Amino acid sequence: MTRGIRLCAVLVCLIILGSGICLSQEATGEIRGVVKDETGGVLPGAKVSLFDGLTQVADQTSGINGDFRFIGLRGGRYGLQCEAEGFEAYVYKHVEVKGGRATQISILLKPAGTPQTMTILLCCFGVDPRRTWLGRDVSYGELRNLPTSRDPWAILAMTPGIVLDRVNVGGSEAGRQPELTCRGDVGGENSMWVLDGLTITDMAALGMSPTYYDFDSIDEIQITTGGNDPSLATGGMSINMITKRGGDTPRGSTRFYTTSEGLQSDNTKDLASPSNPNGATTLDGFKWNPSFVPTKLVKLREYGVEFGGPIAKDKLWYWGAVAVQDIQRAAVNKGPQNTQIENYSFKTNGQWKDSDSLTFFYMRGDKIERGRDASPTRPPETAWNLGSPTDIYKLDLSHMLNPDLYLSGTLGIVRSKYHLAAQGGLNAQVQRDANLVYHGSYIDSVAERPQWQATLNSHYYSNALGGNHDFKFGFSFRRVDTESVSRWPGEGVVADAYTGTAWLTRASHNLARNNYLSFYAGDSFARDRLVLNLGFRFDRQAGGILAASTPANQMFPDVLPAVNVAARDAPFTWNDFSPRLGATYDVTGDGKTLLRTSFADYADQLGSEIVSNLSPIASGITELDYYWNDVNADGYVQPSEVDFYPPYDWEEPLPSTTALDPELTAPRRTELIIGGERQIADNFLAGANFVWQRARNLLWKVGTDYQRPDRPYTHDDYVLAGTITGTLPDGTPYNMPFYRLSDERRSLDGAGVDSLLTNRSGYSETYRGVEIYAMKRPCEDKLLLNAWASWQTSRRHFAGTTGISNPTNEIDGEDTAFQSASEGAEAYWISTPRWMFNLNAVYSLPRGFSVAGVLSGREGFPIVYFRSKYYVDPGLAALAVRAQPIGSSKLPNPIELDLRLSKAIGLGDKGVVNLDLDIFNVLNRNTPLHVTESLSSSRLNYVADIMNPRLFRLGVRYSF
C-alpha cells in the first residue's frame, strides 16, 4: 500500500513537471486593470489591445466588472489601446512590465466627440490597489544613472527600513559584504537573496549573499521589506535581482569605470599626523591619534561587456556578460588588500508558442583576494588568500493553459565554495613570538555549500461574488548542504612563545543538511473600491548532520585521536502556519487615493549553524594547551618538549559546546502595516506608512552545567558580584552592577561550561516606524525622483525576570543592537537609527547632458562603553559589563552627498557613448564611524574608523 502511494505521488510530480509548473519571477509579469466611464461606472465589453512595438500581441474584452488582464508577459515596455462604442479611444504609449510584478491600469473613457478623437498618455505609473508588499522596485534607468558604488548593497542602503553596517563611499567598501538590519530583523538573519526568482541565500552565513554580482547584468532590482504576500517566506528583507535577456534586436554595452588614490581627496589634512604635529587632536568631540592611518582606496577599476540578441527571431534568444572589478585598498592600520571580483553570465530563452516559454540561466561569481587580514601581527606568510567561486544554474518552464490560468516551474542549483588559504601553506609549523606576531603560516579553512531547489506555482483568475479573483498557489522544496573544515597547518601544533605553551589542535569538520518544504495560497479579491488579500503559507524546516570525521593530531595522536561522528537528525522539526491578511480601499473612487492595511505572521529561517551544534567536531578547531620548554631554542615544538602534567585522557570525542533543546521551535514575527498613497499627478505619487513588528520566541544560548544539563541557569541562579563605577568621556557618571553564579551552582561539576540553545520565553523585540515617501517617474518633464524619510525605534522587552539568565547587561526597553562580524566592520555596534532619509534624482538636460544625485543620512550608531571583568564565572574568561543602556551614547550622524554629470554622444545607428563623472562624499566629511569603547583602554574614545574622503570616479560606456 505504501509503495503504491509513493508511486502515485511520483507520477503526479512527473505530470506536473511535464506541464511546466513553476514560479519564474524573472520571466513574466502582467498588466491588469479596469475600464470605467466618466461617472466611475465599470464598462464591460470594451476591447483592450496590447502592442509590443508596432505589433499587436494580444487583445481582450473587459469583463462584467470592467476588468482585463494580460499575463505571462516578458519584462519591457508595451503599448495599450482601449476602444468602446460611443467613447474616445484611449492609448498608453509606454506601459512598463516588470518580472514577477503586476502593472495596474485604470482607464477612464470619455464620450466620443468625433470618430477620430483619441486620448494619448505617454507613460503609466501610479498607485496599485492590489499591491501586497512594502519596499521598492529599482529600474535599469536608476541602476545605470544614479551615482552609486555599483553593487546591490548600495541599492539596499537607499531603501526605507534597511540599514547597513558601514558607509560605502564610491566603492571604498567594494568586495566586502555588509551586514544589515531591516525593521525588526536586527542582524538581517531573515534576509532572502533571490536571483531571477531563484532563492540563493547562504544558509550557513544566515541572511547573507553567497556571491558578488555584475551590476551591469542586472535589469531590475525588486526589494521587499514587509507585507502580506504569502509567497514571502520570512519577515526580513527580500531582494530579487532580475538579469537582462536577449530580444529580437541585438543590444549590448561595454564600460570602463576607474578611480584611484590620485582621484581621492584628504579629509584628515587638518588633523594631527606625523607630518602635521600641530593639527587638531579631536574630531567631532572624540580623540584623534596622530599615528592613525584611515582606510584608503588605492585603486578601483571595473570593466565588462554584455550583449544579447536573437538566435531565431520571435522564437529563441541569447544574452551573455563578462565583468571584472579590480580593487586595491590599504586597510585601517594594516597592509594592502587586493581583491578581484569576476562574473560570467549566460542566458538563453525561447518561446515556441505564445503560451509556452523556456529559460536557462547560468552565472559564476568569484571573489579572489590576496593578503586578507595582513597586519602588524599577521605578516605576509600568515595572511590569507581567498577564493570563493559560486556557480548558479536555473531552468524555467512556463505554460499558459488559457487567459485565466498560468503555470510555471523552476529548477535551480547553487554551488558555493569558500577557501581561506594562508600564504605560508599547509606544511609549516605556526609560531607566535613574544610580541604576539605569527610566523610560518596560519589557519586553513575550506567550506562548500551546495543547494538545489524546485518550485511549482500557478496563477488563476476568475469572476465570482460580484468581483474578480486573483488566486495564486505555490509549492517549493529546497535542500542545502554545508561542509567546512578548519585546521592549523604543519602537524597541527602551534608554538606560542608569548605564553610558553604548545597548542595541540585537531581540525574541525562540519557536515550538515537542511531541508525546506513550503506551500502557500492566496487570493486577491477586488470588488468596487475594495481589494481584499487573503492568504496563508506553511513551512516545514528540518535538518541534521551527516557522517563526518576528523583525523588525529599528527604529532600527538594519543592526546587528540581521530574522531568519527555518525549521522543524526535534529531532535526537532519546525512546522509553521502563517496567515496573511490585507485590504485596500479606493477613497476617491478614481483609483488615485488608496488606504491600505496589512497583517502578516512569519516564521524565521532555520540556519545550518543551528543543526551543526549536533556534532562535537563542527563548532571549531579543538585545542589543548600544554607548557612547552623550547630545549633546542629553535622556536618549534618537538614531542619531547611538551609537559603533559597533569595527564589528560581524550579517547572520546569532546562534548559539544551547545546542546539543542528537543522542543526548539521557530521564532515568530508579527507585522501590522497601515498606510495611504495618493497619485498627485501623472507619474507622481506620495504616501506614508506606519509599520509595527514584534519578534517573539527568539533563540538564545543559556548556560547549563554537566551535572544538570536539563536545568539552564535562571535569574535566581545569579547573585550580585559587584559594580563598575566611573565617569564616561562626556562627564556622565555610571554605576552598573554585574552578576555571578550562586555558590550552589558554581560548585557543581562543569559549572558555566555547557550551553543550551532554546527559545527565549518572556522576551520580545518590538519595532515601530513611520515613513513618508514620494516617487516621480520621467515622462515629458524628464525627471526621475525618489525621496523618503523615516522615524523609528526598535526596543527589547522582558516579562519580569523571565527570559533572563545572567542579569548583567539585561535592560528592559533599551535599543536592540548587534555587533557586526562582517569584514571591515568587525565588532561595530549596529542598531536601528531613530531617523533616516534618502533623496535621489536624475534629470535630463539638453544636448545629451544629465545630472543625478543621492543625498542620504541617518542617526549615528550607538557607542557601547564597557569595562571587562575577568574570571567572574567558571568557563567565562571575561565579562564585558556595559556602562549604560544601548542607545544612550551615539556616534555623529553620517551624511553623504554624491553627484553625477553625464554626457551622451550619439553615433547614429552605431550606438551611444556615455561619459560619466561621479563625485562621492562631495562635502568631504570625515565623520567618525567607530571609536574605542573599552573604559579600561588607554585609547578610550579614540577614533578607530572614519568616512572615506571625497572620491572622483570616471566612466565611459558604449551601448548599441
Side-chain angles (χ1 to χ4, degrees):
M1 181 67 177
T2 303
R3 182 179 179 184
I5 293 174
R6 290 177 178 173
L7 180 59
C8 290
V10 170
L11 289 174
V12 169
C13 290
L14 289 175
I15 292 171
I16 292 174
L17 286 171
S19 299
I21 306 177
C22 95
L23 176 65
S24 175
Q25 288 184 318
E26 170 270 329
T28 62
E30 60 182 90
I31 298 172
R32 59 191 179 196
V34 62
V35 183
K36 299 181 179 180
D37 61 22
E38 277 193 323
T39 68
V42 298
L43 276 179
K47 181 182 178 182
V48 185
S49 302
L50 186 69
F51 295 85
D52 187 356
L54 298 177
T55 303
Q56 181 174 338
V57 294
D59 64 76
Q60 279 196 9
T61 301
S62 60
I64 59 173
N65 297 302
D67 58 299
F68 65 90
R69 74 188 63 85
F70 298 97
I71 62 176
L73 302 177
R74 292 183 294 163
R77 282 190 167 185
Y78 291 80
L80 187 142
Q81 178 175 312
C82 180
E83 298 173 290
E85 186 176 353
F87 293 87
E88 294 181 0
Y90 195 90
V91 173
Y92 275 115
K93 276 190 153 182
H94 299 303
V95 180
E96 194 78 25
V97 174
K98 302 176 180 180
R101 301 292 199 210
T103 300
Q104 182 74 26
I105 294 178
S106 182
I107 297 178
L108 192 67
L109 295 185
K110 299 178 181 180
T114 66
Q116 301 300 318
T117 302
M118 180 175 291
T119 301
I120 297 179
L121 299 180
L122 292 177
C123 304
C124 174
F125 175 71
V127 297
D128 182 358
R130 290 186 185 262
R131 178 171 171 172
T132 59
W133 50 275
L134 207 62
R136 64 177 298 211
D137 289 347
V138 185
S139 66
Y140 178 67
E142 295 172 82
L143 297 175
R144 176 172 169 173
N145 294 313
L146 288 172
T148 70
S149 56
R150 294 182 53 78
D151 61 41
W153 293 274
I155 307 304
L156 291 177
M158 297 163 59
T159 303
I162 296 179
V163 187
L164 303 189
D165 66 0
R166 66 197 65 214
V167 177
N168 187 358
V169 177
S172 59
E173 295 287 337
R176 294 172 169 176
Q177 185 171 171
E179 293 184 276
L180 60 85
T181 286
C182 178
R183 305 195 192 280
D185 185 26
V186 178
E189 290 191 346
N190 285 289
S191 297
M192 299 288 291
W193 288 84
V194 184
L195 186 65
D196 278 353
L198 181 74
T199 301
I200 60 173
T201 312
D202 188 338
M203 303 306 289
L206 197 58
M208 304 290 277
S209 168
T211 189
Y212 294 82
Y213 305 91
D214 169 12
F215 197 65
D216 255 40
S217 71
I218 300 173
D219 194 50
E220 181 185 351
I221 293 181
Q222 300 171 345
I223 303 169
T224 305
T225 59
N228 59 64
D229 187 339
S231 67
L232 295 175
T234 73
M237 178 279 301
S238 174
I239 177 171
N240 181 25
M241 293 163 286
I242 299 176
T243 57
K244 295 177 180 178
R245 58 164 54 206
D248 282 340
T249 302
R251 296 184 183 277
S253 66
T254 183
R255 81 279 185 184
F256 177 74
Y257 287 91
T258 182
T259 186
S260 64
E261 190 173 354
L263 295 174
Q264 190 169 209
S265 302
D266 182 2
N267 59 1
T268 64
K269 60 184 179 180
D270 295 328
L271 298 169
S273 66
S275 61
N276 182 24
N278 297 320
T281 57
T282 61
L283 176 61
D284 286 347
F286 299 95
K287 298 179 182 178
W288 177 261
N289 179 6
S291 62
F292 177 72
V293 180
T295 297
K296 180 181 293 184
L297 183 63
V298 178
K299 180 182 74 172
L300 196 162
R301 292 177 181 169
E302 178 191 338
Y303 44 92
V305 59
E306 58 86 18
F307 57 91
I311 299 175
K313 282 195 173 184
D314 299 323
K315 296 294 182 182
L316 187 63
W317 306 270
Y318 74 93
W319 172 84
V322 178
V324 175
Q325 291 184 65
D326 186 10
I327 309 157
Q328 296 181 19
R329 67 166 60 84
V332 176
N333 284 341
K334 296 180 180 180
Q337 293 183 342
N338 301 327
T339 303
Q340 187 163 294
I341 296 175
E342 301 175 353
N343 289 99
Y344 309 90
S345 303
F346 174 76
K347 180 184 290 185
T348 181
N349 54 287
Q351 189 164 347
W352 57 95
K353 297 180 181 178
D354 290 341
S355 59
D356 297 287
S357 64
L358 176 70
T359 302
F360 172 76
F361 174 67
Y362 168 74
M363 190 193 91
R364 179 181 177 87
D366 193 3
K367 175 183 174 181
I368 304 164
E369 189 171 352
R370 300 287 182 258
R372 179 169 180 160
D373 282 4
S375 70
T377 60
R378 294 274 302 278
E381 73 272 15
T382 68
W384 281 312
N385 290 339
L386 168 67
S388 56
T390 296
D391 296 288
I392 299 172
Y393 307 84
K394 175 174 175 279
L395 181 67
D396 282 325
L397 188 62
S398 64
H399 177 64
M400 188 185 302
L401 292 175
N402 58 59
D404 294 326
L405 180 58
Y406 180 78
L407 311 172
S408 60
T410 299
L411 294 175
I413 297 174
V414 180
R415 297 187 179 277
S416 297
K417 187 172 182 178
Y418 184 92
H419 188 190
L420 281 173
Q423 296 183 3
L426 289 173
N427 296 321
Q429 186 180 115
V430 178
Q431 301 168 292
R432 188 170 78 160
D433 65 24
N435 296 314
L436 299 177
V437 179
Y438 287 90
H439 301 281
S441 193
Y442 203 68
I443 295 173
D444 182 90
S445 295
V446 180
E448 295 191 45
R449 298 162 182 172
Q451 53 179 292
W452 72 270
Q453 62 188 280
T455 61
L456 311 173
N457 292 267
S458 67
H459 271 260
Y460 175 66
Y461 306 87
S462 72
N463 294 310
L465 302 177
N468 57 75
H469 298 262
D470 178 358
F471 295 102
K472 58 181 177 181
F473 310 91
F475 167 84
S476 70
F477 177 79
R478 183 177 174 214
R479 169 167 289 174
V480 178
D481 288 351
T482 300
E483 182 171 16
S484 60
V485 175
S486 295
R487 56 180 169 170
W488 284 98
E491 295 180 281
V493 176
V494 177
D496 184 10
Y498 178 76
T499 61
T501 60
W503 305 352
L504 279 56
T505 70
R506 179 174 57 201
S508 67
H509 185 189
N510 174 31
L511 187 53
R513 170 171 290 172
N514 283 21
N515 293 321
Y516 305 88
L517 182 69
S518 67
F519 172 80
Y520 72 85
D523 177 25
S524 179
F525 173 66
R527 179 176 178 178
D528 297 328
R529 299 185 180 187
L530 181 67
V531 177
L532 294 177
N533 296 297
L534 308 174
F536 74 91
R537 68 175 292 122
F538 172 79
D539 290 280
R540 184 181 190 275
Q541 304 181 78
I545 57 172
L546 305 179
S549 63
T550 184
N553 180 275
Q554 291 177 261
M555 188 177 291
F556 300 100
D558 295 333
V559 178
L560 284 172
V563 176
N564 297 301
V565 176
R568 180 185 173 193
D569 289 334
F572 56 82
T573 297
W574 291 357
N575 294 305
D576 294 282
F577 178 86
S578 303
R580 309 289 168 86
L581 307 171
T584 302
Y585 185 73
D586 181 356
V587 178
T588 55
D590 59 2
K592 294 185 177 182
T593 304
L594 302 180
L595 293 179
R596 285 192 177 93
T597 183
S598 169
F599 171 85
D601 199 56
Y602 301 94
D604 279 10
Q605 300 182 107
L606 175 64
S608 300
E609 182 182 2
I610 293 176
V611 299
S612 295
N613 286 298
L614 294 167
S615 172
I617 60 174
S619 59
I621 297 173
T622 301
E623 180 183 325
L624 299 174
D625 297 349
Y626 295 99
Y627 287 111
W628 162 53
N629 183 15
D630 190 10
V631 176
N632 59 5
D634 65 351
Y636 296 98
V637 174
Q638 279 82 38
S640 61
E641 297 175 341
V642 178
D643 184 358
F644 285 100
Y645 181 82
Y648 287 83
D649 182 8
W650 298 102
E651 294 180 357
E652 298 297 328
L654 294 177
S656 174
T657 57
T658 302
L660 294 180
D661 183 349
E663 303 299 323
L664 196 70
T665 57
R668 305 286 301 194
R669 298 176 189 273
T670 302
E671 179 186 78
L672 176 66
I673 302 172
I674 301 173
E677 199 167 55
R678 170 68 181 173
Q679 183 173 337
I680 298 173
D682 288 341
N683 308 300
F684 181 40
L685 60 85
N689 293 303
F690 167 76
V691 183
W692 176 88
Q693 190 179 98
R694 180 174 179 263
R696 64 196 188 279
N697 204 43
L698 298 174
L699 306 184
W700 71 328
K701 289 184 181 180
V702 59
T704 67
D705 50 65
Y706 289 146
Q707 193 164 335
R708 296 286 301 279
D710 60 334
R711 200 314 207 151
Y713 302 142
T714 68
H715 179 276
D716 296 336
D717 290 319
Y718 286 85
V719 297
L720 184 66
T723 59
I724 61 168
T725 60
T727 303
L728 296 177
D730 65 357
T732 302
Y734 64 88
N735 187 334
M736 296 292 283
F738 63 96
Y739 299 81
R740 66 171 178 83
L741 279 171
S742 65
D743 291 338
E744 177 185 359
R745 291 310 296 263
R746 67 192 290 125
S747 64
L748 296 178
D749 205 16
V753 174
D754 272 0
S755 293
L756 176 69
L757 184 66
T758 186
N759 294 108
R760 193 172 190 179
S761 60
Y763 174 82
S764 63
E765 296 176 358
T766 302
Y767 170 91
R768 293 181 178 87
V770 175
E771 62 187 36
I772 58 174
Y773 60 90
M775 293 183 286
K776 176 74 176 70
R777 290 297 174 263
C779 192
E780 295 176 309
D781 57 3
K782 302 179 181 180
L783 173 66
L784 183 151
L785 171 71
N786 293 282
W788 59 265
S790 64
W791 299 263
Q792 56 274 312
T793 61
S794 183
R795 301 282 169 78
R796 316 167 68 211
H797 300 286
F798 297 92
T801 60
T802 306
I804 297 178
S805 179
N806 188 335
T808 306
N809 300 330
E810 302 290 17
I811 302 173
D812 186 58
E814 74 173 348
D815 289 355
T816 56
F818 74 100
Q819 279 189 285
S820 173
S822 186
E823 182 188 5
E826 296 94 335
Y828 291 17
W829 281 95
I830 313 301
S831 68
T832 300
R834 283 173 287 193
W835 57 267
M836 301 170 59
F837 70 85
N838 186 276
L839 169 66
N840 59 82
V842 180
Y843 188 77
S844 298
L845 298 169
R847 299 183 180 274
F849 285 96
S850 66
V851 292
V854 179
L855 175 64
S856 60
R858 59 165 170 79
E859 181 188 41
F861 285 141
I863 306 172
V864 182
Y865 293 112
F866 70 94
R867 189 177 296 277
S868 294
K869 290 294 180 179
Y870 299 94
Y871 305 107
V872 175
D873 269 333
L876 181 65
L879 178 66
V881 185
R882 299 202 297 265
Q884 57 183 181
I886 292 177
S888 301
S889 297
K890 295 279 189 175
L891 289 161
N893 308 324
I895 309 293
E896 182 178 355
L897 174 62
D898 305 325
L899 297 176
R900 164 175 287 189
L901 175 63
S902 183
K903 166 65 175 175
I905 303 173
L907 303 178
D909 58 2
K910 302 297 184 181
V912 178
V913 173
N914 287 86
L915 304 178
D916 298 330
L917 171 63
D918 297 326
I919 312 175
F920 299 95
N921 191 8
V922 173
L923 305 178
N924 203 31
R925 294 173 65 92
N926 54 8
T927 307
L929 302 176
H930 186 53
V931 298
T932 305
E933 298 164 321
S934 173
L935 295 166
S936 304
S937 173
S938 61
R939 296 190 178 277
L940 172 64
N941 232 36
Y942 272 77
V943 174
D945 191 14
I946 65 172
M947 279 181 63
N948 209 72
R950 182 188 300 117
L951 187 68
F952 291 79
R953 183 176 68 192
L954 306 176
V956 58
R957 175 193 303 273
Y958 168 67
S959 306
F960 64 90

